[in-house]
Amino acid sequence: MTFLSGIPENKQNPETTQRNRLTLTACSHFTAHLSESGSLHKSKMPGLWQDAMDHAVTLARKAGEIVRDALQNDLKIMCKSSSVDLVTKTDQNVEQLIITSVKEKFPEHSFIGEESVAAGEPCVLTDNPTWIIDPVDGTTNFVHGYPFVAISIGFAVNKTLEFGVVYSCIEDKMYTARKGKGAFCNGQPLHVSDQKEINQSIIATEFGSNRDPEVVAKIFSSMRKILCLPVHGIRGVGSAAINMCLVASGCVEAYYEIGIHCWDMAAGAVIVSEAGGVLKDVEGGPLDLMSRRVVAANNEIIAERVIKEIEAFPAVRDDVPVNPTK
Ligand code: IPD
């Protein structure tokens, strides 16, 4: 039996195993040397939160199967804040499955889940280890069979993101990243694009679900300005998490949106930053996970150039209580 990361191979998550194999292959001389010096085991010890991340990958894969199966059947579609803010029974079931399983394994952990918050749970990030879950990112796509749907699981401790897992389940692409350990898609390392010229770039964004004419006007105005810089193109696949993974993969230089939620971006944020990218607020400054605004870019130059053209509009923060007690 081979031991990698201090975990018997047959007990490892396949994604982790594949990644470690790549590491071992790339560094075989180095690891042999370490082995002689007796410190190989230490260098391959699983870090803090590795078991949580492995569990997240397993759950994302399981959730992806449920989502794919559901596409073959009639979906129970409901509306949340408006007729274009959709939710299905599958979103709710998948979130329950993930939370129930995590609670069994890590009873002391906390949760912020899209559908739990919609049902009235608080959206508060504390210092406690917290799973930030979007069970179906791209619900509108899911409802229409548009093939970009993801299970997004971010994990934060002391309000710092530790890992992110985004499973684009129709494409069968498992994106993973752990703080300080790089970003991967199906076990292959990810790197952002090295493009520094905005007029050689593709920028991704979304329309979101706010149909207030003033907001829509600002969204179009920002897009028009960015398009006319000019950029090579504007894209958007209908899932914030997948858009961020496309930045991490190097085929899109930047993604921005106002109106998304912490569960849409938590996992993707780790993946972008571990692929070498930057995360910022749409008016500059650092990303605030609860602000409902994000710019994820390959580098500072592209991020700042995009930020210059964005017309910001207000969005109520995620951590503002919906029904504050008086
Ligand atoms: C939505 C998607 C969409 C973005 C919205 C999000 P959901 O997430 O990520 O691309 O434009 O802002 O709310 O509702 O499908 O989980």
Side-chain angles (χ1 to χ4, degrees):
M1 191 184 300
T2 314
F3 282 80
L4 299 171
S5 302
I7 305 170
E9 193 170 32
N10 62 357
K11 295 218 171 103
Q12 286 193 343
N13 193 298
E15 272 77 24
T16 319
T17 310
Q18 190 179 357
R19 201 175 66 198
N20 288 338
R21 263 209 203 98
L22 288 169
T23 311
L24 273 178
T25 311
C27 310
S28 54
H29 175 72
F30 183 56
T31 47
H33 176 73
L34 281 176
S35 189
E36 275 159 32
S37 72
S39 54
L40 171 63
H41 181 69
K42 195 170 171 223
S43 75
K44 292 290 167 195
M45 282 279 279
L48 206 54
W49 312 124
Q50 184 63 50
D51 51 348
M53 180 164 165
D54 287 344
H55 196 54
V57 171
T58 302
L59 288 174
R61 204 171 276 295
K62 206 178 274 182
E65 268 172 44
I66 296 172
V67 169
R68 282 193 303 262
D69 287 351
L71 279 170
Q72 312 304 318
N73 301 312
D74 265 358
L75 300 172
K76 283 201 171 30
I77 305 159
M78 296 156 279
C79 297
K80 291 198 279 191
S81 61
S82 74
S83 64
V84 297
D85 184 11
L86 307 179
V87 61
T88 71
K89 205 73 198 129
T90 309
D91 297 59
Q92 296 167 340
N93 292 346
V94 166
E95 183 161 318
Q96 261 328 300
L97 171 124
I98 295 173
I99 292 180
T100 305
S101 172
V102 174
K103 269 186 183 162
E104 267 171 30
K105 211 168 155 63
F106 305 101
E108 68 290 353
H109 288 189
S110 304
F111 301 90
I112 296 174
E114 175 171 15
E115 305 319 330
S116 311
V117 171
E121 290 289 321
C123 182
V124 182
L125 187 59
T126 66
D127 286 343
N128 205 42
T130 303
W131 295 64
I132 305 168
I133 303 160
D134 189 340
V136 179
D137 185 51
T139 302
T140 306
N141 288 353
F142 174 55
V143 163
H144 290 266
Y146 193 80
F148 299 98
V149 180
I151 290 82
S152 173
I153 304 176
F155 180 78
V157 183
N158 293 323
K159 301 190 184 74
T160 299
L161 289 165
E162 289 288 334
F163 68 74
V165 171
V166 171
Y167 182 40
S168 180
C169 62
I170 300 174
E171 301 178 283
D172 191 21
K173 287 187 175 172
M174 181 68 77
Y175 295 93
T176 55
R178 201 166 139 228
K179 196 176 79 187
K181 306 276 183 198
F184 300 84
C185 177
N186 291 345
Q188 297 300 313
L190 295 178
H191 299 288
V192 293
S193 139
D194 59 8
Q195 186 55 253
K196 293 190 179 70
E197 304 293 336
I198 191 73
N199 59 11
Q200 309 279 313
S201 299
I202 286 187
I203 307 302
T205 190
E206 296 285 340
F207 295 105
S209 56
N210 190 335
R211 297 293 184 269
D212 172 346
E214 278 180 31
V215 165
V216 173
K218 289 201 170 192
I219 291 173
F220 273 103
S221 177
S222 304
M223 283 176 74
R224 185 183 54 75
K225 289 200 280 173
I226 290 169
L227 193 63
C228 295
L229 282 170
V231 292
H232 275 180
I234 293 193
R235 300 283 185 273
V237 294
S239 153
I242 300 178
N243 284 327
M244 292 175 91
C245 290
L246 293 174
V247 173
S249 304
C251 49
V252 164
E253 272 64 35
Y255 159 68
Y256 72 92
E257 188 172 346
I258 301 174
I260 59 168
H261 297 274
C262 56
W263 46 80
D264 298 314
M265 59 171 146
V270 192
I271 294 166
V272 167
S273 105
E274 285 301 318
V278 298
L279 295 150
K280 302 188 83 85
D281 179 65
V282 295
E283 291 181 291
L287 172 71
D288 173 349
L289 197 61
M290 293 291 155
S291 68
R292 302 192 54 200
R293 304 143 47 118
V294 68
V295 176
N298 61 333
N299 58 45
E300 288 281 343
I301 298 169
I302 297 291
E304 290 301 335
R305 196 63 197 86
V306 168
I307 285 168
K308 239 174 137 179
E309 308 303 333
I310 297 175
E311 288 189 30
F313 53 85
V316 180
R317 292 178 60 84
D318 273 333
D319 51 6
V320 169
V322 181
N323 295 311
T325 43
K326 292 179 188 156

